[in-house]
Amino acid sequence: MSGLDGDILREKIKQKMPKAPKFSFGLKAFLAVAVISLILLGLVGGSFIAVIPAGHVGVLDRFGVVSDTVLSPGFNFKDPLTGVHEMNTQTQQIEYKEVTGTLTSEGLEINLDSSVLWHLDPNKAPEIFRTVRGDYVDTKLTPSFMGLLRSEIKKYTAEDIYTNKSTEIQADVEYQLKQALDKTGIII
């Protein structure tokens, strides 16, 4: 009788135990919609955020219209239809090797090596982006620097340039370059 009682007891326990839930079509559909919603939220939600790295600013552009608003480094919220263009505001150096075509006051052609330390004014980044649209170094800095350097070198003899007047020339070119480029947003 003990074997029979054990079987009956097992049957009664099985009947009283909760059964594992069966996934119905409704639950599967709910899970599928939830997963798809999370994916879409991640994709669309990411378009509301702009991350600007250190040493840069963000310039907002919406369908070709550049905003005067500048995004600072870090997380920024934006309109999802607005594009963000990063512009480097770190101090940079551009070197000019073997600058030729520079004449002294005596009419002698000399070769020079020179360099310029510069950075963008973060507040003028939208104006630079709006007016230059490309490599602003080649468009703004290099022509100004070369013109000022050549005009300054014409004031001195070759002996002055290679001896005692080089620091005076450097100071004059730097001052004039600062004056010329300050309006454009490039700081020397």
Side-chain angles (χ1 to χ4, degrees):
M1 195 133 140
S2 68
L4 188 57
D5 287 338
D7 290 339
I8 292 172
L9 187 59
R10 272 189 222 112
E11 274 302 313
K12 285 188 177 187
I13 291 174
K14 274 186 185 178
Q15 289 174 357
K16 290 190 177 190
M17 281 184 60
K19 294 183 180 182
K22 292 184 180 178
F23 288 107
S24 65
F25 181 71
L27 186 57
K28 288 180 184 177
F30 173 76
L31 288 175
V33 168
V35 168
I36 290 171
S37 297
L38 286 174
I39 291 171
L40 286 175
L41 181 64
L43 293 174
V44 173
S47 66
F48 287 98
I49 297 172
V51 179
I52 308 297
H56 292 73
V57 293
V59 176
L60 298 173
D61 176 19
R62 183 173 189 183
F63 303 119
V65 178
V66 179
S67 170
D68 288 332
T69 304
V70 176
L71 299 181
S72 59
F75 282 100
N76 295 278
F77 292 102
K78 67 173 190 71
D79 177 358
L81 299 176
T82 302
V84 176
H85 305 277
E86 293 177 9
M87 296 185 77
N88 191 342
T89 58
Q90 296 170 322
T91 299
Q92 301 174 54
Q93 179 176 3
I94 185 165
E95 293 188 17
Y96 301 98
K97 300 278 186 188
E98 297 291 322
V99 177
T100 59
T102 306
L103 301 175
T104 64
S105 63
E106 307 140 327
L108 299 172
E109 183 176 352
I110 59 170
N111 292 333
L112 297 172
D113 291 338
S114 57
S115 65
V116 178
L117 289 174
W118 63 278
H119 70 275
L120 285 182
D121 180 355
N123 297 322
K124 293 186 180 176
E127 184 62 29
I128 292 170
F129 184 79
R130 188 180 295 120
T131 58
V132 176
R133 294 280 185 160
D135 189 7
Y136 38 85
V137 173
D138 290 338
T139 306
K140 298 276 187 183
L141 180 62
T142 299
S144 296
F145 176 71
M146 291 300 181
L148 288 171
L149 181 66
R150 287 187 174 114
S151 68
E152 194 65 28
I153 294 296
K154 286 181 185 177
K155 298 176 186 175
Y156 297 94
T157 65
E159 182 181 343
D160 290 339
I161 292 167
Y162 288 113
T163 57
N164 55 355
K165 300 275 185 166
S166 61
T167 55
E168 182 182 321
I169 296 169
Q170 177 184 352
D172 288 346
V173 170
E174 183 177 341
Y175 176 77
Q176 290 179 19
L177 194 59
K178 281 181 183 180
Q179 297 300 315
L181 294 177
D182 188 45
K183 299 173 273 202
T184 66
I186 297 175
I187 299 173
I188 304 299

